[in-house]
Amino acid sequence: AQTVTQSQPEMSVQEAETVTLSCTYDTSESDYYLFWYKQPPSRQMILVIRQEAYKQQNATENRFSVNFQKAAKSFSLKISDSQLGDAAMYFCAYRRGWNAGNMLTFGGGTRLMVKP
Amino acid sequence: GAVVSQHPSWVICKSGTSVKIECRSLDFQATTMFWYRQFPKQSLMLMATSNEGSKATYEQGVEKDKFLINHASLTLSTLTVTSAHPEDSSFYICSARVKNGRGRARISTDTQYFGPGTRLTVL
């Protein structure tokens, strides 16, 4: 079974600074997708960024980028120029294969606090 | 983008009653819908996966007779918590996979889109 681990229950960052959230996963599959979701106080899950395992290039989305280390099974999220609105729970998620009908396995989450 | 709604957003009920939660894809058809449960300060746990017109697939440990899922159309799935008890109090979230995103800006068949969740409190 696949597992996703987020070792940092809480992180804090100063506004405008950079923060990196860690995520490791365990799988025997070769085809999979990795995601970072944001859950603000409203509880609405928002997709931040995703990475296809077959792609060597790290995904980026504006201020958000990932460091995908396939051999190490590591998938960290870097948030640059942190903003107050970035404060939220962040969940790393794994999905086996290309089929979006496959289930998502979530990590335990990291609560990010942004200090003004 | 792809919008998923849930109704109600918050429900309080007495122990022993049944509660129905609706999950709708508003501007797209969904091939698959997922139901998650989230306890306070915890992660999302998948309860079941449902495809339109077929029976839901439940995760291990989830009672299918307790949590009835009906996926009657490509835009609607319902979760009914039968004979609810206080331990069923939780946050329930649905997500949907897009059937056909062709021609739709910023919408992907490769992504699950989440509803805003339903908070269930059983007294």
Side-chain angles (χ1 to χ4, degrees), chain A residues 85-105:
Chain A
D86 294 334
M89 283 291 292
Y90 286 82
F91 293 98
C92 177
Y94 166 98
R95 191 190 79 210
R96 175 178 59 85
W98 57 268
N99 186 351
N102 292 337
M103 61 177 283
L104 288 172
T105 300

Side-chain angles (χ1 to χ4, degrees), chain B residues 28-32 52 74 96-102 108-109:
Chain B
F28 66 97
Q29 291 182 326
T31 53
T32 307
E52 184 262 342
L74 285 171
R97 177 198 175 189
V98 177
K99 180 180 182 181
N100 185 353
R102 192 172 303 166
S108 169
T109 56

Side-chain angles (χ1 to χ4, degrees), chain B residues 14-86:
Chain B
K14 292 182 178 179
S15 184
T17 61
S18 294
V19 176
K20 179 184 285 187
I21 302 170
E22 293 185 348
C23 176
R24 291 181 184 273
S25 55
L26 296 185
D27 54 354
F28 66 97
Q29 291 182 326
T31 53
T32 307
M33 287 185 170
F34 305 83
W35 286 96
Y36 296 86
R37 186 171 181 177
Q38 185 179 31
F39 289 108
K41 299 186 179 181
Q42 293 189 22
S43 187
L44 282 72
M45 298 298 295
L46 180 67
M47 298 175 66
T49 302
S50 74
N51 293 291
E52 184 262 342
S54 61
K55 290 184 178 180
T57 302
Y58 290 81
E59 293 302 302
Q60 191 173 9
V62 178
E63 300 175 57
K64 61 180 181 181
D65 295 330
K66 172 77 172 176
F67 299 99
L68 300 177
I69 292 173
N70 184 283
H71 194 158
S73 75
L74 285 171
T75 60
L76 173 64
S77 177
T78 61
L79 167 67
T80 301
V81 183
T82 62
S83 186
H85 287 91

Side-chain angles (χ1 to χ4, degrees), chain A residues 35-104:
Chain A
F35 305 83
W36 278 99
Y37 281 91
K38 171 185 178 181
Q39 189 180 42
S42 68
R43 307 292 291 271
Q44 171 74 60
M45 295 288 284
I46 302 167
L47 177 64
V48 175
I49 199 166
R50 73 175 193 187
Q51 174 82 41
E52 293 90 335
Y54 66 86
K55 290 186 176 180
Q56 292 184 340
Q57 187 173 7
N58 289 324
T60 62
E61 193 73 40
N62 300 317
R63 298 184 294 108
F64 299 88
S65 61
V66 298
N67 184 2
F68 174 46
Q69 300 290 325
K70 191 172 184 178
K73 296 180 182 176
S74 170
F75 183 61
S76 61
L77 174 70
K78 186 171 81 171
I79 306 174
S80 304
D81 186 26
S82 297
Q83 301 175 359
L84 294 178
D86 294 334
M89 283 291 292
Y90 286 82
F91 293 98
C92 177
Y94 166 98
R95 191 190 79 210
R96 175 178 59 85
W98 57 268
N99 186 351
N102 292 337
M103 61 177 283
L104 288 172

